[in-house]
Amino acid sequence: MGAAATAAATAGRAKDPRPHDGQWVFTETSRVNATDGERPGLVDHSSWSRYDNPSMEGGKAGDDHSPRETYRFLDSLPEDPAKVRAEARAFCPKAGGETRAQHDIRALTLLTEAYPAPPKGRAAVFRAMAAIPGLKADSVKDILGRDAIALSPGDKAQGDLRGQYLDNPRTWVASGSRHIAVTDNPGGEGGPEDHWKAGDVIISEAQESRVLVDDKGDTGR
């Protein structure tokens, strides 16, 4: 069984968070950007996002969606993987220069990262992902030293960086992302942040916690 198929089976057994209007999503992340000379090293960030945010629904926010709109979209997905991929592409429109496989993986991965999410919807997304030829799954360590599975398209990367989407290998809950240099960058006379080699991790983000809370400012602790 491939990584995405394993993820589908695991996701389908998860508990439904059953969100409701009036709640907030509290998120804590840590980020490292090797190109940021002003803020080197680990940078922590926390935020609250309203679950039911009408200003981010019905196309009012362009390609962005409220957690409620995404939850409802996932809950409505069909079983057929091809239909799921088509609906995911419509929900997360194509970026310039993407191949079909890259668009599929980006759109589906964004949906697997959604929180809160109905288990059956996440399982459907992972099953659709499992049918994509060339999907790569690598065991890596994130910037917090945790084990992760890095998912990425197997075809040629766009631009100078290859994106990877990180998941917890036990629960298959999204745990972060990172971007890997595709080519060397000698950087001329710039500082250390302008020099890297192919294979270096340039930007990495780790999700430390994400939880539904009843009031903005709550952390669920």
Side-chain angles (χ1 to χ4, degrees), residues 58-115:
K60 296 175 185 175
D63 297 347
D64 294 327
H65 305 273
S66 73
R68 177 174 65 180
E69 190 169 54
T70 304
Y71 181 96
R72 290 175 175 175
F73 172 81
L74 287 168
D75 202 38
S76 70
L77 286 175
E79 291 290 327
D80 181 75
K83 292 181 179 179
V84 171
R85 289 196 298 275
E87 292 195 22
R89 289 193 299 270
F91 194 73
C92 304
K94 183 178 180 179
E98 280 185 323
T99 65
R100 170 62 67 86
Q102 288 169 341
H103 186 193
D104 279 342
I105 291 175
R106 181 179 60 82
L108 293 170
T109 303
L110 287 173
L111 291 170
T112 67
E113 293 176 342
Y115 180 85

Side-chain angles (χ1 to χ4, degrees), residues 26-147:
F26 172 64
T27 305
E28 286 182 297
T29 58
S30 294
R31 179 181 173 92
V32 171
N33 184 345
T35 69
D36 190 345
E38 295 183 1
R39 303 183 72 187
L42 207 62
V43 177
D44 296 326
H45 178 71
S46 60
S47 64
W48 286 262
S49 301
R50 183 176 166 182
Y51 171 68
D52 52 316
N53 187 345
S55 68
M56 296 184 66
E57 297 176 350
K60 296 175 185 175
D63 297 347
D64 294 327
H65 305 273
S66 73
R68 177 174 65 180
E69 190 169 54
T70 304
Y71 181 96
R72 290 175 175 175
F73 172 81
L74 287 168
D75 202 38
S76 70
L77 286 175
E79 291 290 327
D80 181 75
K83 292 181 179 179
V84 171
R85 289 196 298 275
E87 292 195 22
R89 289 193 299 270
F91 194 73
C92 304
K94 183 178 180 179
E98 280 185 323
T99 65
R100 170 62 67 86
Q102 288 169 341
H103 186 193
D104 279 342
I105 291 175
R106 181 179 60 82
L108 293 170
T109 303
L110 287 173
L111 291 170
T112 67
E113 293 176 342
Y115 180 85
K120 75 180 186 70
R122 289 193 81 239
V125 170
F126 276 120
R127 284 194 295 271
M129 191 179 288
I132 299 174
L135 178 68
K136 295 184 63 178
D138 300 305
S139 296
V140 301
K141 294 282 188 181
D142 71 9
I143 52 175
L144 300 179
R146 304 175 303 186
D147 291 331

Side-chain angles (χ1 to χ4, degrees), residues 92-107 110 152-165 178-183 196 202-203:
C92 304
K94 183 178 180 179
E98 280 185 323
T99 65
R100 170 62 67 86
Q102 288 169 341
H103 186 193
D104 279 342
I105 291 175
R106 181 179 60 82
L110 287 173
S152 61
D155 57 1
K156 185 178 180 181
Q158 288 181 274
D160 298 324
L161 300 177
R162 173 180 292 279
Q164 293 183 327
Y165 306 93
R178 62 185 199 167
H179 289 80
I180 313 297
V182 175
T183 59
W196 61 77
I202 307 302
I203 302 172

